[in-house]
Amino acid sequence: MVNRREICVTNDPYAYDATEIDNYAIVDGYSPANDWITYQDAGHAHTNAFKTLRVTSQDERVSRDTIVEESTDQVAAASLFGGTISLTGGFSGAWRGYDFHVSGLLLGIMGWQTPATIANPATGFSTGYRYEFAMAPATLALKYVDEQANANGGVTRVYRGVGITQANINLRAKQYVTMDAQWMARRVEVFDSPYPSETEPTGDPAMFYNAVLKWTPEGGSEETFKCQEFTMNVNRPIDTDDFMIGSQFLNSMTYNGLTDLGGNITLSPSDWDKLRAMMAGTTDDTKNTLDDGKREFFGTVTNATSSTVLANAIPSGQLVIMLHKPDGTQVVGRITAMSCKLTEASASAQGRQKYTKTVNWRAVINNTSKFYIDVWQPA
């Protein structure tokens, strides 16, 4: 096996299982011979084998969150002890949606579920998989191989009970589509030898030049959204402070708070409609200010078509992003936010340089408005 730098991922569904934690001593779960995670409870099947993620950057951090004794008779710490263990990190690379499906990474981003099968938008292609934003987190394992450690002999670090706390998808002109993620873990297993998985990604990165963005304003018709840059940020509020008396390891992995799903869009300098709608509440050029013709404090509803009551409208609609193979012959990914609100806008200029115009958006999720990521295997 070649000693090489690598980051790999698989599922780890029983990392926080009470049976594994309460009934057994702490042992290694990673099996170098099989490249998967095994469990001590006979009723818990081993995980899938690790899959390589092709990334451009990766990092890891460990903190022992030390407990310091402060005393009146000493000028520095009188004593110091290990506290809880905090394991965090991140990675970034090209967006390869189908690989993220096979490896389980999409479950970490979108939440635990059984993805539904979905037809490709074009005929003649195999079905793909649909992920819907879910409430329950999915637990992963990450494997980092460091080829330079141990006097260039290589080492392996396997992070167990991993949760994805943030994932950002970025589309920029002149670049391929990228994704960066931040994670936390329960504990780590270390090995003084390299154990790379050496699996090859399926397909190429999605490219900017054939990505298609569609915006359907509420009550309007679908239109192409021309922009220089588009970002989607998924912030998952995993509780990283769920510690119990009797252990330095995190007790469980749960979401604790409201997930923030949104991002920002850098518009063309010639764009006006989005800024106009943010300022005046409409793209109707007969209305020149927010709630034009309405009445503050004294509005009334006359009939079904006539009202002077304030509406305070903000731009809203459906956002769809289509990602294709570099040669444009197949749809390989689709991101759908059925209900989005444009929440902020800005315009700035320096000297005679072009205007920079941006809008921020935020998704609304309820029983009728969903957020989906669909992926198809490149043919």
Side-chain angles (χ1 to χ4, degrees), residues 7 54-59 90-94 178-182:
I7 177 173
R54 182 157 289 167
V55 301
T56 55
S57 66
Q58 60 192 61
D59 62 85
F91 54 86
S92 63
T178 62
M179 193 275 288
D180 62 85
Q182 299 295 315

Side-chain angles (χ1 to χ4, degrees), residues 59-257:
D59 62 85
E60 314 152 78
R61 296 174 294 277
V62 55
S63 172
R64 298 302 301 273
D65 293 337
T66 52
I67 300 170
V68 178
E69 180 187 11
E70 181 181 355
S71 64
T72 60
D73 65 316
Q74 299 297 327
V75 297
S79 61
L80 191 148
F81 307 93
T84 58
I85 184 167
S86 174
L87 302 164
T88 58
F91 54 86
S92 63
W95 172 266
R96 287 182 168 90
Y98 189 78
D99 274 353
F100 298 164
H101 157 72
V102 172
S103 67
L105 181 58
L106 268 180
L107 285 176
I109 297 171
M110 297 295 286
W112 175 251
Q113 62 193 277
T114 299
T117 57
I118 186 167
N120 195 281
T123 58
F125 295 97
S126 60
T127 58
Y129 298 90
R130 163 163 285 185
Y131 289 80
E132 180 181 338
F133 225 36
M135 286 188 179
T139 312
L140 308 176
L142 287 173
K143 182 177 65 174
Y144 279 63
V145 180
D146 179 350
E147 88 287 3
Q148 294 178 340
N150 200 17
N152 291 319
V155 301
T156 302
R157 301 180 284 269
V158 179
Y159 292 93
R160 302 287 308 280
V162 171
I164 302 298
T165 57
Q166 183 174 348
N168 307 311
I169 301 174
N170 304 284
L171 290 80
R172 296 184 179 93
K174 303 169 64 175
Q175 297 183 22
Y176 54 74
V177 182
T178 62
M179 193 275 288
D180 62 85
Q182 299 295 315
W183 55 265
M184 48 68 62
R186 184 174 195 266
R187 62 184 182 90
V188 60
E189 302 169 5
V190 297
F191 302 86
D192 294 328
S193 297
Y195 298 117
S197 297
E198 300 181 316
T199 61
E200 185 66 19
T202 302
D204 297 308
M207 305 301 291
F208 83 95
Y209 55 77
N210 60 19
V212 178
L213 282 69
K214 295 291 186 180
W215 170 258
T216 306
E218 188 174 342
S221 301
E222 183 182 77
E223 59 190 52
T224 298
F225 205 138
K226 294 183 179 180
C227 61
Q228 295 178 338
E229 182 176 348
F230 173 90
T231 66
M232 184 189 77
N233 307 317
V234 181
N235 294 305
R236 288 295 218 176
I238 292 176
D239 187 355
T240 57
D241 199 34
D242 185 28
F243 293 99
M244 301 292 160
I245 296 172
S247 175
Q248 70 270 38
F249 301 112
L250 199 66
N251 182 63
S252 65
M253 188 167 72
T254 55
Y255 293 137
N256 183 28

Side-chain angles (χ1 to χ4, degrees), residues 21-44:
I21 295 172
D22 297 347
N23 296 354
Y24 300 94
I26 299 171
V27 297
D28 303 337
Y30 175 63
S31 169
N34 299 301
D35 199 31
W36 59 41
I37 302 292
T38 60
Y39 299 99
Q40 298 188 79
D41 189 292
H44 296 162

